[in-house]
Amino acid sequence: MNRKRALISDTFKVKKTRNGTEKFGAVSNGDGLTDVKSTVEYLMTLFPRKLFNDTLPQIVFKHQLYSIHSDKTLVDKELNKLCERGELLMFQLGFDAEAFGLIFASDYKAKVLAGEEGRETQATVKKFLEKVLSSCTDLSFSKDKMLREFLFTDSEITQLVKSGVLTVRDAGSWWLSIPNSGKFTKYFIQGRKAVLGMVKKSKYSEVLKAELEERRTTSHVKFHMKYHIHDIVGAELVER
């Protein structure tokens, strides 16, 4: 009986309802800023840097932390603190309104500046990183704020869009963006679908976590399997 319970508790199945989801690796609700930051750092180690020739900063998703910490409110609160302290940046990646990417500010700035080396937009991008990101936690920026508060010209805003640090949100506003992240988003969505397909095609649409981690993957899964497991559990696409 104990063996049976152990197997059930480590089994994922495709989620049909959004109630009562139990998350693997869940911890007590007493965790604080240090633990949340450590979790972000752990998830960063699963990011496939070599796949992008180390040109992208390490990206994780906010919901991936929910697969490890049981208290979403605490996670959100501590992430906000890290953003307010200028350690972490948050991005709306576009493919899902609920998918927020997290990047350490120092990593983002280093990768962006490296990519701007020798380009005509370099000075404007450097100004943006120093003037805006060092004192702002916004995910998006209005034209009025860019012109009046941060004193950028229309021409400079165009350069920032061209460089990829801003992307159009709607008429007169822009999202903070990650340059050259299109391939990351493509591979991520492709991998998520493939891993969910593995769960769905398993007997009874259930699979052991340990077995899923060891599965041979197809060319559609380019990220570490654990990266995708934290994604599908944290996003409540499967239940445990």
Side-chain angles (χ1 to χ4, degrees):
M1 180 63 72
N2 289 340
R3 174 61 178 164
K4 183 178 180 182
R5 286 176 179 169
L7 287 174
I8 292 172
S9 69
D10 269 341
T11 302
F12 295 143
K13 61 182 177 180
V14 176
K15 189 168 176 62
K16 295 180 180 179
T17 65
R18 299 185 67 84
N19 296 320
T21 302
E22 182 184 349
K23 297 169 180 61
F24 80 90
V27 295
S28 68
N29 294 342
D31 297 314
L33 181 60
T34 302
D35 293 307
V36 169
K37 183 178 180 180
S38 296
T39 301
V40 176
E41 291 172 337
Y42 157 68
L43 291 170
M44 292 288 188
T45 66
L46 303 178
F47 181 81
R49 298 174 65 167
K50 291 183 179 179
L51 183 61
F52 305 104
N53 297 318
D54 205 23
T55 58
L56 282 182
Q58 292 168 292
I59 307 167
V60 301
F61 290 93
K62 182 171 74 170
H63 66 259
Q64 287 177 309
L65 278 77
Y66 300 157
S67 71
I68 298 174
H69 294 270
S70 58
D71 190 337
K72 292 183 181 180
T73 301
L74 175 97
V75 169
D76 292 350
K77 180 180 177 181
E78 300 306 328
L79 287 177
N80 287 337
K81 287 182 183 178
L82 288 168
C83 289
E84 289 169 1
R85 284 165 43 170
E87 293 184 44
L88 205 62
L89 295 172
M90 192 176 298
F91 299 79
Q92 169 41 257
L93 293 177
F95 65 90
D96 184 338
E98 300 300 317
F100 294 97
L102 302 171
I103 300 176
F104 281 115
S106 58
D107 192 20
Y108 177 78
K109 292 175 183 178
K111 290 292 188 287
V112 169
L113 288 174
E116 283 294 308
E117 191 69 37
R119 299 183 64 187
E120 61 180 0
T121 53
Q122 183 177 4
T124 303
V125 170
K126 186 175 182 181
K127 174 184 173 183
F128 177 78
L129 296 177
E130 293 175 350
K131 193 169 188 177
V132 179
L133 292 195
S134 298
S135 61
C136 184
T137 59
D138 294 342
L139 275 74
S140 64
F141 306 92
S142 67
K143 184 172 183 178
D144 186 66
K145 190 166 189 174
M146 290 295 290
L147 295 175
R148 297 177 183 275
E149 184 174 336
F150 297 123
L151 304 178
F152 281 86
T153 65
D154 284 326
S155 175
E156 287 176 323
I157 294 173
T158 299
Q159 288 184 45
L160 293 173
V161 174
K162 183 179 179 181
S163 71
V165 297
L166 291 181
T167 187
V168 176
R169 178 180 183 181
D170 52 38
S173 70
W174 301 268
W175 290 111
L176 179 64
S177 183
I178 308 162
N180 305 310
S181 59
K183 186 178 289 188
F184 163 79
T185 302
K186 175 185 175 182
Y187 289 165
F188 171 76
I189 295 173
Q190 183 177 278
R192 171 191 272 190
K193 289 179 179 178
V195 174
L196 285 173
M198 291 178 194
V199 178
K200 191 172 183 178
K201 290 175 183 177
S202 299
K203 190 175 182 180
Y204 307 122
S205 293
E206 296 181 354
V207 63
L208 294 177
K209 178 172 76 75
E211 180 188 332
L212 187 59
E213 288 178 352
E214 298 301 321
R215 280 277 184 95
R216 274 189 184 178
T217 57
T218 66
S219 60
H220 294 295
V221 182
K222 299 184 184 296
F223 294 0
H224 197 295
M225 182 60 83
K226 287 184 179 180
Y227 191 94
H228 284 299
I229 290 175
H230 284 295
D231 163 52
I232 62 176
V233 174
E236 298 185 0
L237 299 175
V238 297
E239 60 185 3
R240 182 189 180 206

